[in-house]
Amino acid sequence: TMARRRARPPMIGRVLTAYRQKYDITMRDLAREVGISAATICRVEAGCAVPERTFLRLVLWLFDDGKERDDG
């Protein structure tokens, strides 16, 4: 069997933190929007490795759903 891949891109954690601060949302709220746990958001923001599937889910969310938030 193929081992599960894990992604550890520290940049995504910084992007998520900046996004949450800009829009004043909690980890729990962001997790709910993305469809993952708040603990996972915490791990990503801390720079921990996450499953590649989770990383891709976050990236897709940032480039799709995340951009719909009002900048005002």
Side-chain angles (χ1 to χ4, degrees):
T1 64
M2 184 184 216
R4 281 190 170 176
R5 289 177 156 179
R6 295 183 85 69
R8 188 180 180 160
M11 185 68 174
I12 190 81
R14 291 191 292 268
V15 169
L16 288 178
T17 301
Y19 181 92
R20 287 190 320 97
Q21 290 172 346
K22 179 177 180 177
Y23 295 108
D24 193 30
I25 61 175
T26 66
M27 284 185 190
R28 183 173 289 156
D29 290 338
L30 178 59
R32 196 173 301 123
E33 287 186 29
V34 177
I36 59 178
S37 72
T40 298
I41 296 291
C42 185
R43 285 193 299 274
V44 170
E45 288 189 3
C48 296
V50 294
E52 192 173 83
R53 182 179 217 165
T54 299
F55 171 73
L56 291 173
R57 186 175 204 154
L58 287 164
V59 170
L60 290 173
W61 180 85
L62 280 168
F63 284 98
D64 186 26
D65 296 335
K67 71 181 175 189
E68 295 176 13
R69 195 172 288 277
D70 183 15
D71 280 337

